[in-house]
Structures are given as C-alpha cells and as structure tokens.
Amino acid sequence: MVVQGKPIPALLSRKLLLGASVGAALFFMLVGVMLWGGFNTAMEATNSLEFCISCHEMEENIYHDYTRTVHFNNGAGVRATCADCHVPRSWIHKVVRKVHSSNELLHKLLGTIDTAEKFEARRLQMARNVWKTMKATDSRECRNCHDFKTMDPEKQKPKARQQHRHAMAAGNTCIDCHMGIAHKKVHDQLDTAELQQLVAPNPALAIVLPPQWQAFVEKQAALKTASATTAMDMTAPTSPAQVALLDWSKVPARKVDIFYPGQGSIEWLRGDEHDGAYPLQAGIRCLECHEGIIADMGGKIVSGEKLEPNVIPNKRGSIPVSVKAAHDGEHLYLRFSWPQGEHAPAPFADGGKMDPENPIKLALTLANGDVDLADQAGCWSACHADVRTMPLAPASRMVTKYLGESRTQTETAEQNDKPMKRKSQDAIRAELEAGHFMDLLTYKSGTGEVADGYILAERVMQGGQGAEFIARQENGNGHWIVEMKRKLESDKLGDISLKPDQLYNLSFAIHDDHSNARYHHVSLGYKLGFDNAKAEINAIKQSADDQLVEFRKSAK
C-alpha cells in the first residue's frame, strides 16, 4: 500500500523528534491512551459508593448514618454519594486527594478503626480533619451542588434566607452551619472556644449579594414598610376621656410578634436540639433567623409539638403587638397595643385562671451590649433550665430568673441538696457595678402594682428609680393598651441609663389571659434607639407641644 507515493513501512520508519520514528510515536501514544484510560477508570471506580463501603469500617459505621439523611433519600431523587462530598471534581485536586487517601489505607492495614469502639473513639478527630479541609477549601465540594449565586431566596424558608444572607456578608462557608449533615453529630462535643474558632467567618470569602438576592431584599423592605404602616393603624384610637402620655398618632409603630415559648431555655437554645445553636455561637441574632416565622414557631410550641408538656387548649401561640416609642430628651415613653384573645382556661389552675387578680401583666427588660447573649437573644439570657416551672428546677428551692454572669454553671434537679453554683457575693456585686445586668420593669393591670428592679444573680423587684404605667382596654375593638414613662438617666444601681447616641437591647413579655410564670408570650430581642434609623424600635423625639397632658393614672 502506498500513501502519497511512499509505502507505509517507509512512512512509519520516518524519523521525528529526537530520532523517534512515526511508528514508535504512534505506538507510545496508543499505550499512553490505554494507560491513561485504565488509570482514570480505576480512579473513578474508587469514587463509587460500592467501593467506599466495601470495607466493614465504612459500611458498618458510616453508611448507616448516611442512609438516614437527606443526601441519601429526598424529594428530588438526587443522591449525593461519598465522592460527591469528599473527592474534588477538578483533576489536580482529585489526584492530590487520592494521594492523601493512602494514609487511610495505612490505617486500614494497622486496624486503627477496625472495631465499632475504636471507630467511635476516633470519630471526633476524623470529623475535625474533614471540617479543616472543607473550611480551607470554602466548602468546595458542597458548592458543586449548592451555591449562593444560584439559590432562589423566594423558595427558601425565612430562617435559611437570613442565615445565607449573613453568610454571604460575613464570609461564612457551608460547613460553618451544616456540620453533621450526613453523619452522626459529634460537633456537640467541642468546647465553646473550639466551636467558635471553627465557625468563625473569613472576611475574604464575603461576596456581594447576587442580583436575585438583592431584588428579594428590596421587595422585603417594601413589604416591611407597608407592614409598619398597617401596625400604626391596628391600635385603637384613644378616647378623649382617657389619659394618654403623648399624641401617639404622630409616632410610627413597629409590629412585633410575641410568641409562646413553653419550656425553651437558654440551655436549649445553645444545645444540639436547636438547629440555630451554631449560628447563635457565630454571633447571629435570633431575630435575623426567626423574624417572619414567629407565629409558626409559637404555634408549634403551644400545641405541645415541642417544648411544652402542659398544654393549655386553645391558647394563642402568638400575639401581634404594636410598639411605639418616643422621648422628650428627659423621659422614654413606650406604648404597647395588642388584640384581646378569647379566654383559654388552664386545666391545671383553679377556675382556669393562674392569676385571677390580673387580666394582663407586662414585663420589660433593658440591657447594654455587655450582657452575654442579650444582644442576640434578648431576655432569653435570663431564662435557664433550672428556674421554677422549668425542666431542671430543683424541688427543694425556687430559682428565679438570673444571668450567666452570676453563675459558674446551671443547677440541675439532681443537685437539690447541694449549694447553687453562684459566684461569690463580691464577684456578683462587681458584675452589677460593671453594668452586667438587665434592667427590669413590670406592671400588673389588676392591682396596678409597678416594680422597677433588675436581673443578675436573681430577679430583684425593687431598687430602681421607678416608672409610671397606665393601662386601659379599648372595648370597642378589643385591644389592650399599656403605656409607660421612665426617666432616661438614673443614678440607681440596677438601672440602665439611656444615652441618646447609643443602642440598647429591649425585649418584653406579656402575661395575657390571667396567666402566670412561664405561661406568657415573649418577644425576641430588639434594638432600642433614639432618633436613630438603625434602631428596630426607634424612640422619636416629641416637642412639648406634642404632649397632651401631665402623666396621671386613668380612672377605672
């Protein structure tokens, strides 16, 4: 056979680079393709689920964890296998990972984890290794399927949307919130310092909100503005015959949903049963994740679905409250208005009313930014699992609300005959003088009793400068209205002095329908400010002309 006038043998023997013939070059090219194909086929075979669970260590200890997760079975029918999460897709990174896996073969030969007991003993350390790798690669394998830039915020739950927005802005990566997503959880074994270091954001990873996210944020802002306008209209007008502190029609309102918390404690918030525990550790506020779903949250708890062993039939899970705030340069004024609900008798209270004297009670806390978790969780910082009517309440004594700054640890029911884990009196006094407390104001509608105290080592119901309250019930449309007046400045120990140029943590609870103790409705923590657009509850300055009357209690 002749090709271009030359026989094939002559063509194959033609010399090329470095004296190699065309035939030799073709031969080695063919051998190279076969070797490459064989190598790549073998490497891909080691990525299969069947290969990964072919040793009993993985099949018996990891595979069964994985089959109970959303990555194995889900509504979309898309399954992520071991390699999808643990082997890079890009060739260079994939080869590097395969080289590192030789260490796993060594430990297979050594029998390092060849029993369930050995595996469990090393599970946390193996998880640490994976977390370290994912943190270093910005959760590269996660982002093969999940990427901020392709997420549709409209299709996400409010909590997920808020966490993803925070992650983009702060520079968090997937693994910061989604540890234990496919295997047995072990991150609850980490101490606080290590966990905080692990989930800390990397500002270099922060990104600008993608267009669909920016559009969603703008849409939500417009809806919130409309909601604020509606909140101003939901409050019953003040009758001329009744006393009011201010002309409240000139003050904008903030709609705040308060919810029934059941036996939810600060320990529960920080614990493994709460899927927001790790965002909380990362500094995310409860409001960032839960605003917009507070009513649903309260509905689940009040029904007994979670956190409530003593169900009160037909009790409201949430209450919408219109909150208005103003100041005159010397006093803070607050107004709370909410719809009256139907009476829901408590089956464990005589006559169905836990507090027959008082149809409603209101408690308000103020704190600066130095109280642990007050900035994120509001008054929840004072609600522990060992206080009265809570799961770990000691039988031999009553433990009231307190702050973590006053304790070395939470008391438990098993410690009934042991001293409470309080700091020394001198240490507690130092915390008080340093401002590490919550200013507490309470009002009872039936008796008219007002208390001005604070929370630190316990709930102290006296000692502050005092505040004035009025309450009335607008029977025309079934609204309760409670107004408060308090001096901004105070020299009393246990009072927070309010500075116009600062933000403060404000939260409140309402005991509705003759309820008592923990059977109330609570708010999350909000930022109180003065003529400050960044405040979530903004006290607007009112001139003397805006004030209607000197404060006095309304006639019954």
Side-chain angles (χ1 to χ4, degrees):
M1 186 173 182
V2 176
V3 177
Q4 295 181 347
K6 296 181 180 180
I8 288 180
L11 180 63
L12 294 178
S13 61
R14 183 178 176 178
K15 300 298 182 180
L16 295 175
L17 187 65
L18 300 178
S21 66
V22 171
L26 290 173
F27 173 78
F28 284 110
M29 286 176 61
L30 180 61
V31 171
V33 168
M34 294 175 64
L35 289 175
W36 172 259
F39 171 76
N40 198 58
T41 299
M43 188 164 60
E44 290 303 317
T46 62
N47 288 341
S48 68
L49 176 64
E50 291 74 16
F51 178 85
C52 291
I53 64 172
S54 59
C55 61
H56 77 275
E57 290 89 345
M58 295 296 104
E59 197 274 336
E60 293 176 10
N61 297 296
I62 291 295
Y63 179 67
H64 294 297
D65 292 343
Y66 157 69
T67 57
R68 292 189 288 268
T69 70
V70 70
H71 282 108
F72 186 78
N73 280 326
N74 53 71
V78 179
R79 177 171 294 172
T81 61
C82 309
D84 292 318
C85 297
H86 296 288
V87 181
R89 287 184 177 179
S90 61
W91 192 82
I92 293 176
H93 291 113
K94 184 188 298 185
V95 172
V96 171
R97 175 68 183 91
K98 294 299 181 181
V99 171
H100 287 167
S101 67
S102 61
N103 183 59
E104 297 168 15
L105 296 176
L106 171 63
H107 284 283
K108 167 68 176 177
L109 295 173
L110 294 175
T112 305
I113 54 172
D114 61 354
T115 68
E117 292 75 19
K118 290 181 182 179
F119 191 94
E120 288 301 322
R122 290 180 174 266
R123 185 188 281 267
L124 179 58
Q125 184 54 51
M126 291 187 289
R128 282 192 178 106
N129 295 338
V130 174
W131 296 333
K132 181 179 178 181
T133 299
M134 289 188 167
K135 189 80 172 179
T137 62
D138 187 17
S139 303
R140 178 181 53 213
E141 280 62 66
C142 300
R143 290 183 291 105
N144 286 334
C145 296
H146 312 282
D147 194 276
F148 292 136
K149 296 178 181 178
T150 57
M151 290 178 179
D152 184 352
E154 293 276 4
K155 296 180 179 179
Q156 293 185 348
K157 294 181 179 179
K159 184 165 64 174
R161 283 199 297 262
Q162 295 291 354
Q163 291 185 8
H164 289 148
R165 280 184 57 191
H166 181 276
M168 284 184 272
N172 282 104
T173 188
C174 310
I175 197 63
D176 293 342
C177 292
H178 295 287
M179 291 177 285
I181 194 67
H183 302 298
K184 179 181 176 180
K185 293 182 179 180
V186 289
H187 43 278
D188 55 346
Q189 299 175 27
L190 301 175
D191 60 39
T192 301
E194 184 178 1
L195 181 62
Q196 288 179 338
Q197 182 180 11
L198 182 62
V199 303
N202 179 0
L205 300 179
I207 64 172
V208 176
L209 284 182
Q212 75 275 21
W213 282 90
Q214 187 60 46
F216 179 81
V217 170
E218 293 171 358
K219 177 182 175 182
Q220 290 298 105
L223 291 174
K224 186 173 291 186
T225 300
S227 175
T229 302
T230 302
M232 292 176 66
D233 296 333
M234 68 177 278
T235 305
T238 302
S239 167
Q242 292 176 316
V243 177
L245 300 180
L246 297 172
D247 182 356
W248 289 105
S249 66
K250 299 180 180 180
V251 180
R254 169 71 188 242
K255 179 177 177 289
V256 174
D257 286 322
I258 60 176
F259 67 101
Y260 183 77
Q263 288 190 333
S265 65
I266 193 66
E267 287 80 19
W268 183 85
L269 259 66
R270 285 174 146 164
D272 199 43
E273 291 182 39
H274 176 216
D275 59 6
Y278 304 104
L280 191 71
Q281 291 281 9
I284 298 177
R285 297 171 62 209
C286 298
L287 191 65
E288 292 184 63
C289 292
H290 293 293
E291 189 172 30
I293 59 170
I294 292 174
D296 292 339
M297 189 162 58
K300 288 181 179 180
I301 299 173
V302 79
S303 67
E305 182 177 336
K306 60 192 301 185
L307 293 172
E308 182 49 81
N310 302 325
V311 174
I312 301 174
N314 301 316
K315 187 174 181 68
R316 289 189 284 183
S318 63
I319 303 174
V321 182
S322 173
V323 181
K324 294 188 177 187
H327 74 99
D328 58 11
E330 185 178 355
H331 300 90
L332 167 67
Y333 300 86
L334 290 169
R335 171 179 166 127
F336 303 87
S337 174
W338 67 94
Q340 179 183 3
E342 296 293 329
H343 176 52
F348 46 82
D350 291 340
K353 295 179 179 180
M354 289 174 266
D355 185 358
E357 283 190 297
N358 296 292
I360 61 103
K361 298 189 290 283
L362 186 142
L364 171 74
T365 63
L366 294 165
N368 57 35
D370 296 329
V371 175
D372 182 38
L373 284 181
D375 184 54
Q376 298 168 260
C379 63
W380 224 303
S381 305
C383 186
H384 292 264
D386 58 349
V387 304
R388 67 189 181 107
T389 72
M390 296 292 278
L392 301 182
S396 61
R397 67 178 71 89
M398 184 180 77
V399 182
T400 69
K401 300 283 182 68
Y402 65 89
L403 297 182
E405 280 82 353
S406 70
R407 298 295 202 272
T408 57
Q409 70 180 63
T410 302
E411 189 171 23
T412 67
E414 289 73 28
Q415 296 172 325
N416 290 340
D417 299 322
K418 297 179 181 179
M420 296 175 67
K421 306 299 181 182
R422 294 168 59 134
K423 293 181 180 178
S424 69
Q425 286 300 113
D426 289 343
I428 291 173
R429 176 75 180 188
E431 297 282 0
L432 181 63
E433 292 175 349
H436 301 162
F437 62 89
M438 282 187 166
D439 198 344
L440 173 66
L441 297 162
T442 64
Y443 174 74
K444 298 180 179 181
S445 67
T447 62
E449 180 184 348
V450 176
D452 182 0
Y454 65 90
I455 301 173
L456 180 54
E458 56 194 356
R459 186 171 54 191
V460 177
M461 304 302 289
Q462 58 187 9
Q465 64 176 338
E468 298 172 286
F469 285 84
I470 58 173
R472 58 187 177 274
Q473 194 169 9
E474 297 284 2
N475 294 320
N477 65 355
H479 272 72
W480 275 102
I481 297 175
V482 177
E483 298 180 38
M484 184 203 83
K485 177 183 179 182
R486 175 202 190 269
K487 284 186 178 180
L488 297 178
E489 296 283 347
S490 175
D491 60 358
K492 301 287 187 182
L493 200 60
D495 272 346
I496 297 289
S497 280
L498 302 174
K499 307 292 184 182
D501 60 344
Q502 295 182 22
L503 292 173
Y504 298 89
N505 299 305
L506 180 149
S507 51
F508 63 95
I510 293 175
H511 283 90
D512 193 45
D513 190 23
H514 299 276
S515 62
N516 206 357
R518 67 172 180 80
Y519 299 95
H520 53 10
H521 292 78
V522 299
S523 76
L524 298 176
Y526 288 80
K527 294 295 184 183
L528 170 70
F530 300 88
D531 303 303
N532 188 338
K534 294 182 180 179
E536 291 152 348
I537 296 178
N538 193 13
I540 305 299
K541 188 169 186 179
Q542 301 293 294
S543 67
D545 293 338
D546 292 323
Q547 298 186 29
L548 299 180
V549 293
E550 289 295 323
F551 183 85
R552 65 185 187 276
K553 290 186 178 179
S554 61
K556 295 280 183 167

Coordinates of all heavy atoms in Angstrom, one line a residue, residues 158-159 161-162 220 224 254-257 285-294 297 524 526 536:
P158 N -37.7 31.4 55.8 CA -37.1 32.6 56.3 C -35.8 32.4 57.0 O -34.9 33.2 56.9 CB -38.3 33.2 57.2 CG -39.5 32.6 56.6 CD -39.1 31.2 56.1
K159 N -35.8 31.4 57.9 CA -34.6 31.2 58.7 C -33.4 30.9 57.8 O -32.3 31.4 58.0 CB -34.8 30.1 59.7 CG -33.6 29.8 60.6 CD -34.0 29.0 61.8 CE -34.4 27.6 61.4 NZ -34.6 26.7 62.6
R161 N -33.0 31.8 54.6 CA -32.7 33.0 53.9 C -31.8 33.9 54.7 O -30.8 34.5 54.3 CB -34.0 33.8 53.5 CG -34.7 33.2 52.3 CD -35.7 34.2 51.7 NE -36.7 34.6 52.7 CZ -37.9 34.1 52.7 NH1 -38.2 33.1 51.8 NH2 -38.8 34.5 53.6
Q162 N -32.2 34.1 56.0 CA -31.5 35.0 56.9 C -30.0 34.5 57.1 O -29.1 35.3 57.1 CB -32.2 35.2 58.2 CG -33.5 35.9 58.1 CD -33.4 37.4 57.7 OE1 -32.3 37.9 57.6 NE2 -34.6 38.0 57.4
Q220 N -38.6 42.8 50.3 CA -39.0 42.6 51.7 C -39.0 43.9 52.4 O -39.8 44.2 53.3 CB -38.0 41.7 52.3 CG -38.1 40.2 51.9 CD -39.4 39.6 52.2 OE1 -40.3 39.4 51.4 NE2 -39.6 39.3 53.5
K224 N -42.0 45.5 54.5 CA -41.9 45.8 55.9 C -42.4 47.2 56.1 O -43.0 47.5 57.2 CB -40.4 45.7 56.3 CG -40.2 45.9 57.8 CD -38.7 45.6 58.2 CE -38.4 44.2 58.1 NZ -37.1 43.8 58.7
R254 N -44.0 49.9 65.4 CA -43.2 48.7 64.9 C -44.1 47.5 65.3 O -44.5 47.3 66.5 CB -41.9 48.6 65.6 CG -41.2 47.2 65.4 CD -40.7 47.0 64.0 NE -40.1 45.7 63.8 CZ -38.9 45.4 63.5 NH1 -38.0 46.4 63.3 NH2 -38.5 44.2 63.2
K255 N -44.4 46.7 64.3 CA -45.2 45.4 64.6 C -44.2 44.4 65.1 O -43.3 44.0 64.5 CB -45.9 45.0 63.4 CG -46.7 43.7 63.6 CD -47.5 43.3 62.3 CE -48.2 42.0 62.5 NZ -47.3 40.8 62.6
V256 N -44.5 43.9 66.3 CA -43.7 42.9 67.0 C -44.5 41.7 67.3 O -45.5 41.8 68.1 CB -43.0 43.4 68.2 CG1 -42.2 42.3 69.0 CG2 -42.1 44.5 67.9
D257 N -44.2 40.5 66.7 CA -44.9 39.3 67.1 C -44.3 38.7 68.3 O -43.1 38.5 68.3 CB -44.9 38.3 65.9 CG -45.8 38.7 64.8 OD1 -46.9 39.2 65.0 OD2 -45.4 38.5 63.6
R285 N -28.1 36.9 65.5 CA -29.2 37.2 66.4 C -30.4 36.4 66.1 O -30.6 36.0 64.9 CB -29.6 38.7 66.3 CG -28.5 39.6 66.7 CD -28.8 41.1 66.4 NE -30.0 41.5 67.2 CZ -30.9 42.4 66.7 NH1 -30.7 43.0 65.6 NH2 -31.9 42.7 67.5
C286 N -31.2 36.0 67.1 CA -32.4 35.2 66.9 C -33.3 35.9 65.9 O -33.9 35.2 65.1 CB -33.1 35.0 68.3 SG -32.2 34.2 69.5
L287 N -33.4 37.2 66.0 CA -34.3 38.0 65.1 C -33.9 37.8 63.7 O -34.8 37.8 62.8 CB -34.3 39.4 65.5 CG -35.4 40.3 64.9 CD1 -36.7 39.9 65.3 CD2 -35.1 41.8 65.2
E288 N -32.6 37.7 63.4 CA -32.2 37.5 62.0 C -32.8 36.3 61.3 O -33.0 36.3 60.1 CB -30.7 37.5 61.9 CG -30.0 38.8 62.3 CD -28.5 38.8 62.1 OE1 -28.0 38.6 61.0 OE2 -27.8 38.9 63.1
C289 N -32.9 35.2 62.1 CA -33.4 33.9 61.6 C -34.9 33.7 61.7 O -35.5 33.1 60.8 CB -32.7 32.8 62.3 SG -30.9 32.7 61.9
H290 N -35.5 34.3 62.7 CA -36.8 33.9 63.0 C -37.9 35.0 62.7 O -39.1 34.7 62.7 CB -37.0 33.6 64.5 CG -36.2 32.3 64.9 ND1 -36.6 31.1 64.4 CD2 -35.1 32.1 65.7 CE1 -35.8 30.2 64.9 NE2 -34.9 30.8 65.7
E291 N -37.5 36.2 62.4 CA -38.4 37.2 62.0 C -39.2 36.8 60.8 O -38.6 36.4 59.8 CB -37.8 38.6 61.8 CG -38.8 39.7 61.6 CD -38.1 41.1 61.5 OE1 -37.0 41.1 61.0 OE2 -38.8 42.0 61.9
G292 N -40.5 36.8 60.8 CA -41.3 36.3 59.7 C -41.9 35.0 60.0 O -42.9 34.6 59.3
I293 N -41.4 34.2 60.9 CA -41.9 32.9 61.2 C -42.2 32.7 62.7 O -42.4 31.6 63.2 CB -40.9 31.7 60.7 CG1 -39.6 31.9 61.5 CG2 -40.7 31.7 59.2 CD1 -38.7 30.7 61.2
I294 N -42.3 33.8 63.4 CA -42.5 33.8 64.8 C -43.9 33.2 65.1 O -44.0 32.4 66.1 CB -42.4 35.2 65.4 CG1 -40.9 35.6 65.3 CG2 -42.9 35.2 66.9 CD1 -40.7 37.1 65.8
M297 N -43.7 29.5 64.8 CA -42.9 28.9 65.9 C -43.7 28.8 67.2 O -43.7 27.8 67.9 CB -41.7 29.9 66.2 CG -40.6 29.4 67.1 SD -39.1 30.4 66.9 CE -39.7 32.0 67.2
L524 N -38.6 38.4 70.9 CA -37.2 38.3 70.7 C -36.5 39.6 71.1 O -37.2 40.5 71.5 CB -36.9 37.9 69.2 CG -37.5 36.6 68.7 CD1 -37.2 36.4 67.3 CD2 -37.0 35.4 69.5
Y526 N -34.8 43.2 70.5 CA -34.9 44.3 69.5 C -33.9 45.4 70.0 O -33.6 45.5 71.2 CB -36.3 44.8 69.4 CG -37.2 43.9 68.7 CD1 -37.8 42.9 69.4 CD2 -37.5 44.1 67.3 CE1 -38.6 42.0 68.7 CE2 -38.3 43.2 66.7 CZ -38.9 42.2 67.3 OH -39.7 41.3 66.7
E536 N -34.4 49.2 65.7 CA -35.5 48.5 65.3 C -36.8 49.0 66.0 O -37.9 48.8 65.5 CB -35.3 47.0 65.6 CG -34.2 46.4 64.7 CD -33.5 45.2 65.3 OE1 -33.6 45.0 66.5 OE2 -32.7 44.6 64.6

